[in-house]
Amino acid sequence: MSTFHLDIITPTSTHTFENVSYLRIPGLDGLIGIEANHANSIIALNIGEIKINTSGKTLYFSTSGGFTDIQSKGVQLLLETFEESKNINKKRAEESYKKAKERLGDKSQNLERANKSLLRAKNRISVFNKK
Amino acid sequence: MANLKNIRSQIKSVTSIQKVTKAMKMVAAAKLRKSQENMEKGRPYSNRMKDLISNLMNDVDSSLLPLLNRPTKTTKYGIVLITADRGLAGSFNSNVIKKTENTINALGKENAVLFCIGKKGFEYFSKRNFDVEKYYEDLWLDLNYNKAINIGQNIIEYFLHHRVDKVDVIYNYFKNAASQEVLSNQILPIEFEQEEKQSSLKDIIYEPSKIEIIKSLVPKYFNTQIWQFLLESFASEQAARMLAMENATENAKEMISELNLEFNKARQTAITTEMLEIVGGAEALSN
């Protein structure tokens, strides 16, 4: 099975994965799967879960959005935040979930922002449960 | 003999101050190294973002991007002031504060909307009855990217609701460990140098579309800029503190050697007086 090279670039760090056979990313309109020799493309990402199959292992990450840049030499993920499932602090995620819920009930708050943080917290909890 | 005791206690206190300044210098040096590393780590991300945007800009009508649009009339000026939470860093805080005050006075107090990052700037301006619109507290203790996102989103909201027409950030630019420069940079509306060369990004699939991608790219790019300014200022703060503390340590050293000299002189005098007394006493007895 042919594999490809994956870089995850965030504002605070860069991570490299070799021999990636399959990558699943949360596109704005739904999940998108990427294998080797994919056409060059730039894809915007939603809040969601990233799945990476590399050297027989499956890894799950949560992200709050970003971009995928697919080129013939490899794939780059530009992410504002990303956390591996085993590193997610479930307690903290549940707390921010609760907080966001409360804020959604309060009409004086910025609902759009509260909604987003609710989605982010939900996503982190669900990715945590994947490990 | 009181004099001797005085000098001794002075030497003791100066020595302990020297210990403190030395320790502070070491802490600042370690933090400086860390923040320089962080600056390096952030570069690939913001460079890649910038590449993507300038490549896409050629194909997209920039009037669709509100963050790039220059308003027809600029009446409200936003100023983001970045200072530290703590002093003892030479002229680090006072220089930016001075520049900000001059800028506000030139614009007129009622036209300036002030965003304060760092306690020192906030304290200065709120005490002098300036209108501080927003104060981001507890930032430097645990500096992370989420805080930059928060600040970025906040300022963007102000801009999109036309509560400010132009935003400048005033901060300490990190030239090198020995010198920092107070700079004022425009951050909104965002200005991009248009690249004339034909983009090499042909035959690329854009999902969902070019305009949607660039629309979500631009605010994210803005956040990286805020992050860069924060790191820059943090590095400058540590460098300034390092230098100030090094000077303080040097001064303490000088003071200690002066005090030691004085102490020895006083001791000599005391011994001489004592000897004279003894000799005088012995002579009086033998007579």
Side-chain angles (χ1 to χ4, degrees):
Chain A
M1 199 182 190
S2 58
T3 57
F4 60 93
H5 174 95
L6 171 69
D7 283 320
I8 296 184
I9 304 173
T10 73
T12 49
S13 57
T14 306
H15 304 260
T16 304
F17 298 89
E18 298 288 351
N19 304 324
V20 178
S21 53
Y22 177 74
L23 166 71
R24 194 184 66 199
I25 50 173
L28 290 182
D29 301 324
L31 297 177
I32 296 169
I34 293 161
E35 291 189 341
N37 306 320
H38 192 283
N40 289 358
S41 37
I42 292 174
I43 303 166
L45 300 184
N46 210 341
I47 298 168
E49 166 193 305
I50 293 169
K51 178 182 166 186
I52 300 172
N53 283 354
T54 168
S55 341
K57 277 183 297 183
T58 305
L59 304 170
Y60 293 95
F61 299 88
S62 74
T63 181
S64 59
F67 300 89
T68 312
D69 182 7
I70 304 171
Q71 294 172 5
S72 48
K73 61 178 187 220
V75 178
Q76 281 185 337
L77 285 175
L78 295 165
L79 305 176
E80 264 196 333
T81 60
F82 101 107
E83 270 178 299
E84 191 170 350
S85 53
K86 64 176 184 213
N87 294 334
I88 291 177
N89 186 337
K90 195 183 181 195
K91 225 168 118 196
R92 236 185 66 200
E94 277 169 344
E95 267 164 29
S96 47
Y97 179 81
K98 247 188 249 157
K99 238 194 236 159
K101 268 244 150 117
E102 277 166 26
R103 264 172 39 210
L104 270 180
D106 184 354
K107 287 262 156 36
S108 65
Q109 297 273 350
N110 184 338
L111 289 186
E112 197 189 329
R113 260 175 92 168
N115 216 345
K116 271 209 175 136
S117 53
L118 183 74
L119 285 177
R120 276 201 301 271
K122 232 180 183 168
N123 173 51
R124 283 170 62 213
I125 295 169
S126 94
V127 174
F128 175 83
N129 290 332
K130 276 278 164 63
K131 74 171 178 186
Chain B
M1 286 306 112
N3 197 21
L4 266 182
K5 205 178 157 198
N6 269 349
I7 297 175
R8 203 180 283 132
S9 76
Q10 261 188 50
I11 291 178
K12 216 172 155 190
S13 71
V14 175
T15 313
S16 67
I17 289 174
Q18 191 193 27
K19 270 185 199 150
V20 173
T21 56
K22 224 178 192 167
M24 278 180 81
K25 183 193 142 194
M26 247 121 75
V27 170
K31 282 189 179 167
L32 172 66
R33 204 172 320 123
K34 216 176 135 200
S35 63
Q36 272 178 307
E37 273 168 27
N38 276 340
M39 270 157 82
E40 283 305 318
K41 279 183 193 159
R43 241 162 238 155
Y45 182 81
S46 63
N47 286 348
R48 196 74 197 94
M49 283 278 199
K50 206 172 175 183
D51 282 355
L52 276 178
I53 295 178
S54 46
N55 274 322
L56 283 164
M57 280 287 280
N58 293 329
D59 307 329
V60 170
D61 181 6
S62 64
S63 66
L64 292 171
L65 301 166
L67 291 184
L68 273 67
N69 277 345
R70 216 179 295 257
T72 43
K73 210 171 65 188
T74 312
T75 49
K76 282 273 180 197
Y77 294 87
I79 293 169
V80 181
L81 164 67
I82 308 182
T83 58
D85 278 348
R86 289 175 202 179
L88 289 184
S91 54
F92 173 84
N93 289 314
S94 56
N95 279 350
V96 258
I97 289 175
K98 215 185 289 162
K99 173 139 184 150
T100 311
E101 198 172 12
N102 289 342
T103 315
I104 294 176
N105 286 337
L107 294 170
K109 243 185 188 181
E110 63 285 350
N111 294 329
V113 181
L114 193 59
F115 302 88
C116 283
I117 297 172
K119 202 160 116 198
K120 286 284 166 191
F122 173 70
E123 276 173 358
Y124 183 92
F125 285 105
S126 58
K127 261 184 208 154
R128 282 163 184 75
N129 291 326
F130 279 82
D131 195 12
V132 178
E133 184 69 35
K134 194 94 192 175
Y135 166 45
Y136 303 96
E137 50 191 332
D138 288 339
L139 197 100
W140 300 115
L141 264 183
D142 171 31
L143 186 62
N144 58 48
Y145 195 72
N146 283 331
K147 292 185 175 164
I149 297 177
N150 262 334
I151 296 171
Q153 280 177 346
N154 211 277
I155 293 171
I156 285 176
E157 266 169 42
Y158 270 85
F159 185 75
L160 292 181
H161 291 115
H162 301 290
R163 291 170 68 181
V164 289
D165 303 312
K166 181 176 178 255
V167 182
D168 283 346
V169 54
I170 299 178
Y171 71 109
N172 278 283
Y173 170 69
F174 182 78
K175 251 190 187 167
N176 52 49
S179 76
Q180 297 86 38
E181 194 184 345
V182 177
L183 283 186
S184 160
N185 281 13
Q186 180 185 331
I187 47 170
L188 278 175
I190 302 175
E191 279 176 345
F192 275 104
E193 303 127 37
Q194 283 273 1
E195 278 178 37
E196 281 305 316
K197 61 169 190 208
Q198 271 296 312
S199 62
S200 53
L201 291 171
K202 289 245 164 97
D203 297 326
I204 290 182
I205 303 166
Y206 292 92
E207 179 75 37
S209 67
K210 274 184 189 175
I211 182 72
E212 285 302 322
I213 285 178
I214 199 165
K215 259 186 186 164
S216 56
L217 258 172
V218 172
K220 289 207 163 78
Y221 175 70
F222 183 72
N223 291 343
T224 71
Q225 292 244 290
I226 299 277
W227 178 239
Q228 216 69 33
F229 285 129
L230 290 179
L231 290 179
E232 196 93 48
S233 175
F234 189 68
S236 300
E237 179 195 339
Q238 302 308 334
R241 179 163 300 129
M242 207 172 92
L243 207 68
M245 288 303 117
E246 192 171 323
N247 288 339
T249 312
E250 278 300 308
N251 287 345
K253 204 171 143 194
E254 225 168 80
M255 264 175 94
I256 289 171
S257 74
E258 267 168 34
L259 282 171
N260 263 333
L261 198 68
E262 217 174 295
F263 178 77
N264 285 339
K265 270 186 195 162
R267 197 190 52 175
Q268 281 290 345
T269 321
I271 292 171
T272 315
T273 335
E274 216 169 295
M275 269 169 76
L276 278 176
E277 270 167 18
I278 293 170
V279 171
E283 235 158 68
L285 278 180
S286 68
N287 283 345

